[in-house]
Amino acid sequence: MVFPLVAQQNNVHLTWDINLSEKADSKELFIPFNCNKCDQIVFKKSAIPTYSVRISANTINTTSVSLKNIKTQSSPFNGFHTIIDEDFTITQQVLYEKRKRSVLITVTPIRKSGNKTDYLTDFEWDIKTIPYTDNLNTAKNKKDATYESVLSSGDLYKVKIESDGVFKITKTFLEANGIDINTVSMSKFKVYGNGGEMLPELIQTPRAEDLVENAIYS
């Protein structure tokens, strides 16, 4: 079942300062549209307004976000028409802070309309959600997992890799590292490694429990 969500600041009123006197090729940042509650993204020394709202999402997932009851005004400026859409673009981003989950919803409050640019003055969020439950048992399952590590048996050697690429393990390399090649069986020779990446910040993020076997060519 999908539920509507009444977001914070649901009834939004934007007050605008429209300044078309500056030129885009000036040394200063070109800001033709400036609203009282907007942030800005900069593209080729021009500032495009954005408006965002952040909602708590520990127990919900957003299924759709749109605008309703919108009111607009128009400007003859069309200098952004190559980089804005014919509708008010909406994006979503899931954020985590101090183990709390939220969704940052951002709208670009200007759109191209023929040879003119519309800008939002009033609107309401129309956000629909479904229940979301973080798998609290994931951490417990990781802690209680039982498996036999690849490190539990066999002769093991640690090799340092300082750069990306394809590497060749030769007889000379093995002997130089004190390995008796007469004890090495190529049918049982394996290479393990997890890519040298950082562990994910959230313990719930899926990851390999043990060293991963890498493909080799002999």
Side-chain angles (χ1 to χ4, degrees):
M1 181 178 295
V2 178
F3 303 95
L5 175 69
V6 179
Q8 295 178 356
Q9 303 178 12
N10 190 45
N11 299 293
V12 181
H13 175 71
L14 301 179
T15 301
W16 292 85
D17 177 17
I18 310 298
N19 182 5
L20 305 182
S21 60
E22 298 293 336
K23 295 183 179 180
D25 58 357
S26 67
K27 295 182 179 180
E28 301 296 330
L29 183 64
F30 183 44
I31 311 176
F33 298 97
N34 187 20
C35 79
N36 60 323
K37 299 178 182 178
C38 292
D39 295 317
Q40 297 170 344
I41 57 174
V42 177
F43 181 81
K44 295 183 178 179
K45 294 183 64 177
S46 298
I48 300 174
T50 62
Y51 177 82
S52 300
V53 64
R54 185 167 175 169
I55 61 174
S56 175
N58 285 326
T59 59
I60 60 169
N61 259 338
T62 55
T63 58
S64 66
V65 180
S66 58
L67 307 181
K68 62 181 181 180
N69 299 327
I70 68 172
K71 296 180 181 179
T72 66
Q73 294 185 11
S74 295
S75 167
F77 178 78
N78 59 14
F80 288 162
H81 280 201
T82 59
I83 53 178
I84 61 175
D85 296 326
E86 293 180 349
D87 203 354
F88 300 114
T89 304
I90 299 174
T91 61
Q92 301 181 61
Q93 182 181 6
V94 177
L95 304 174
Y96 291 90
E97 184 177 357
K98 296 181 179 180
R99 299 184 180 181
K100 293 184 179 180
R101 184 176 183 270
S102 62
V103 177
L104 181 69
I105 304 173
T106 302
V107 61
T108 303
I110 59 174
R111 68 181 178 188
K112 55 186 176 183
S113 178
N115 292 325
K116 298 181 179 181
T117 297
D118 290 342
Y119 52 94
L120 280 170
T121 58
D122 295 270
F123 69 92
E124 296 179 14
W125 294 107
D126 187 8
I127 305 173
K128 293 182 172 57
T129 69
I130 57 175
Y132 167 82
T133 303
D134 202 354
N135 187 4
L136 298 178
N137 292 324
T138 304
K140 181 178 184 299
N141 292 340
K142 286 183 178 293
K143 180 179 178 181
D144 296 344
T146 57
Y147 59 91
E148 185 175 356
S149 172
V150 297
L151 300 174
S152 61
S153 62
D155 296 324
L156 305 170
Y157 301 91
K158 184 177 180 180
V159 178
K160 182 179 180 180
I161 303 297
E162 296 182 339
S163 61
D164 295 336
V166 178
F167 297 89
K168 186 175 183 180
I169 300 177
T170 64
K171 173 184 176 182
T172 302
F173 175 83
L174 295 176
E175 290 178 334
N177 284 274
I179 300 172
D180 183 358
I181 62 171
N182 294 319
T183 64
V184 177
S185 173
M186 293 308 300
S187 63
K188 298 181 179 179
F189 189 88
K190 296 181 179 180
V191 176
Y192 295 90
N194 291 11
E197 298 178 350
M198 294 180 62
L199 291 175
E201 181 178 353
L202 299 176
I203 194 171
Q204 293 93 342
T205 303
R207 66 179 187 273
E209 296 283 0
D210 201 7
L211 290 177
V212 176
E213 183 175 356
N214 297 171
I216 60 175
Y217 178 80
S218 59

